[in-house]
Amino acid sequence: MEAPNPIGIAISNADLSHTDKVAIGSTLGAHYFLLAPIDAAAWKHSSLLRTDYQNYCATITNAGMQPVIAITPTVDHVDCAPTYTDIVVTCAPSLVVLRTPETETRDHLNTLARICHSNRARSTHAPIDSSDIAIMLASDDQTFADILDPTERRIMSSAFTEKRTAIAERTASYLDMVQQSDVDFVNIGWNSQTDEHFERIVREIAARTGKPVVSTALARPIDEYCAERLMKSALKAGLPYAIWYFSVEGPRAYSLKRPDGTLGKSASLFTHFMRRHFTH
């Protein structure tokens, strides 16, 4: 029996229509497609409607729905619920990512989780940077020192004690909040300069939080083979959602197409990977 396909893509180019992006995703063989972020404050004016592409994920941003709160995160979550409900019902996503960097609290995430569970969707939070996670793990346990990339190792040096401590404490606090929330998944954004420790980090965070790990932001342009390697690691680690970022124009690791219009190396490898591992 074929394993479920967790692989999806997001395309960053604003000049492409939603329909064009979905068509590209289908051509590449992606199972999931991550929509452009939906601004909850402007939702009534959004032109996004439910499409025939059923396996997609939505990102909701709601920073504009209430004033930025810098000290005490007191938010009237009830005010957000009708908008969240309307978005989830209208778009019918498989997964919803909530991005509220200024006001995100456990109650906020729980509001979204409750709505998603009532509408056959899953929920998660904004991606946590993998570099921050690596620094937190290595700060807590020296046996994780080998997972650090060169930039992360530099931050671990004595010259950056204050910065390292701040990153580790902030990341640990956020993970504790996610663990205690009702969202379905811990969301990691892969931003490390190496991908060889991907599985180890995923398994450690899953063990610490008791929640499965997803990634809606696999986007580190290490080289043109990075997408293929990370897709393999995502399958081995059992991620239910693994979303890779492409761009029509950009670094070679992201690039969808060459100047002549043919698929770029990374996109071509991605397509071949999907064909080898999943039937359509």
Side-chain angles (χ1 to χ4, degrees):
M1 182 176 180
E2 186 178 277
N5 182 348
I7 308 300
I9 67 165
I11 300 175
S12 62
N13 301 72
D15 57 338
L16 288 177
S17 70
H18 170 68
T19 301
D20 288 341
K21 290 179 179 180
V22 169
I24 291 171
S26 180
T27 298
L28 292 177
H31 185 62
Y32 293 110
F33 182 81
L34 182 65
L35 299 170
I38 299 169
D39 183 354
W43 169 246
K44 295 301 181 182
H45 308 290
S46 174
S47 61
L48 177 65
L49 297 175
R50 185 170 179 172
T51 71
D52 292 332
Y53 195 88
Q54 298 177 359
N55 298 323
Y56 61 82
C57 310
T59 299
I60 298 176
T61 62
N62 76 348
M65 292 187 71
Q66 43 254 325
V68 171
I69 297 171
I71 301 176
T72 305
T74 304
V75 181
D76 184 359
H77 305 290
V78 176
D79 289 345
C80 300
T83 302
Y84 290 172
T85 301
D86 194 34
I87 292 172
V88 172
V89 170
T90 300
C91 297
S94 172
L95 175 70
V96 182
V97 182
L98 181 62
R99 285 182 177 270
T100 53
E102 300 295 339
T103 61
E104 188 169 80
T105 65
R106 185 175 65 183
D107 289 341
H108 228 347
L109 289 173
N110 287 346
T111 297
L112 177 67
R114 174 177 51 81
I115 292 166
C116 286
H117 293 160
S118 297
N119 290 278
R120 302 178 66 183
R122 314 297 288 279
S123 61
T124 190
H125 53 86
I128 306 172
D129 193 301
S130 61
S131 289
D132 290 351
I133 291 175
I135 290 168
M136 179 200 72
L137 293 175
S139 297
D140 291 346
D141 185 346
Q142 284 299 308
T143 63
F144 284 98
D146 62 335
I147 70 173
L148 300 171
D149 68 21
T151 300
E152 295 157 2
R153 283 197 295 271
R154 184 167 177 264
I155 293 174
M156 290 295 293
S157 69
S158 58
F160 293 93
T161 300
E162 186 175 341
K163 181 177 182 179
R164 178 184 72 243
T165 301
I167 290 172
E169 291 180 350
R170 181 185 70 239
T171 305
S173 176
Y174 192 91
L175 277 171
D176 286 344
M177 183 270 292
V178 171
Q179 179 184 25
Q180 296 168 29
S181 77
D182 295 333
V183 294
D184 299 286
F185 305 113
V186 179
N187 191 4
I188 296 177
W190 195 256
N191 192 40
S192 299
Q193 295 176 28
T194 176
D195 49 37
E196 61 182 306
H197 299 295
F198 179 86
E199 293 175 61
R200 185 179 175 191
I201 289 176
V202 165
R203 296 188 192 284
E204 178 64 21
I205 294 305
R208 286 191 175 211
T209 62
K211 292 180 183 286
V213 172
V214 299
S215 180
T216 60
L218 293 170
R220 186 69 182 181
I222 301 169
D223 55 49
E224 291 178 321
Y225 297 89
C226 182
E228 183 181 36
R229 291 197 305 269
L230 281 172
M231 295 307 103
K232 289 179 180 177
S233 295
L235 292 184
K236 289 181 181 178
L239 268 66
Y241 295 88
I243 310 296
W244 177 259
Y245 270 72
F246 275 114
S247 174
V248 172
E249 296 178 357
R252 286 186 302 170
Y254 292 157
S255 183
L256 271 171
K257 296 181 180 180
R258 298 186 177 94
D260 63 3
T262 59
L263 283 181
K265 181 70 172 180
S266 183
S268 179
L269 288 171
F270 182 97
T271 303
H272 291 319
F273 175 85
M274 298 303 294
R275 289 174 180 171
R276 286 197 309 270
H277 288 81
F278 305 102
T279 57
H280 300 284

